[in-house]
Amino acid sequence: MKLPVTVTGRALDFSLAAFAAPVVHARVASVLSELAPEEVQTLPVEIEGQLEQFFILVATKLIHCIDEKATEEFQKWTPEDRRPEKVGKYRDVWGMRIDASQVDDAKVFRAWGWPIALIVREEIRDALERMGATGTKFEEV
């Protein structure tokens, strides 16, 4: 697979391609594969103009965990939106909070209905921060 570069500048260790697909440098892929081997898959990808190895990161767990009462605000798709495949899923989410009791011991996952967010446990965040991974942004959920 090949991905074009749409934003010029220095390559980041973590970035999002189309449809919120995470693209990670080989060193980030290595850390995630080591710390959460059952929860991530990596697919090699060539990045236009880059000699180093990058991967598309796939989170294999999708968990129904958004805590609607604690979340700041959200909107869901309705039949009136004429997108039947999306009815009941989140159209937008602000200030997302999750119900930790639904997560069990998952370390890397996406939230059902709002797969845009890639959620990681603190130990993953800490490992990425220790290595100085560029392009990451963490918000407590």
Side-chain angles (χ1 to χ4, degrees):
M1 272 190 282
K2 283 188 175 186
L3 290 178
V5 173
T6 57
V7 178
T8 58
R10 194 178 113 216
L12 299 173
D13 295 321
F14 179 95
S15 60
L16 296 175
F19 306 105
V23 176
V24 298
H25 187 276
R27 64 192 195 115
V28 171
S30 177
V31 166
L32 292 169
S33 295
E34 179 183 319
L35 295 176
E38 301 297 319
E39 299 169 20
V40 298
Q41 293 178 348
T42 56
L43 307 169
V45 64
E46 289 182 40
I47 306 294
E48 186 178 280
Q50 293 296 317
L51 298 177
E52 297 185 56
Q53 181 65 61
F54 285 84
F55 296 86
I56 292 176
L57 179 74
V58 178
T60 62
K61 289 191 174 190
L62 184 66
I63 301 174
H64 200 279
C65 63
I66 294 178
D67 184 340
E68 292 182 356
K69 290 181 181 168
T71 294
E72 187 178 313
E73 187 176 344
F74 62 89
Q75 294 176 346
K76 287 187 174 182
W77 291 92
T78 66
E80 292 77 29
D81 295 317
R82 296 193 172 143
R83 299 286 304 268
E85 74 282 7
K86 292 189 175 202
V87 170
K89 294 181 181 176
Y90 297 95
R91 185 175 188 152
D92 218 336
V93 178
W94 300 273
M96 181 175 69
R97 296 293 177 258
I98 62 170
D99 178 352
S101 70
Q102 302 300 312
V103 175
D104 293 323
D105 61 350
K107 295 178 182 177
V108 178
F109 61 95
R110 301 271 191 167
W112 180 92
W114 188 245
I116 292 170
L118 178 67
I119 303 171
V120 300
R121 283 211 183 259
E122 289 178 19
E123 67 185 84
I124 304 284
R125 179 204 63 203
D126 293 346
L128 294 175
E129 286 179 341
R130 274 194 306 277
M131 72 184 300
T134 58
T136 59
K137 177 183 173 188
F138 300 102
E139 294 179 26
E140 189 169 337
V141 294

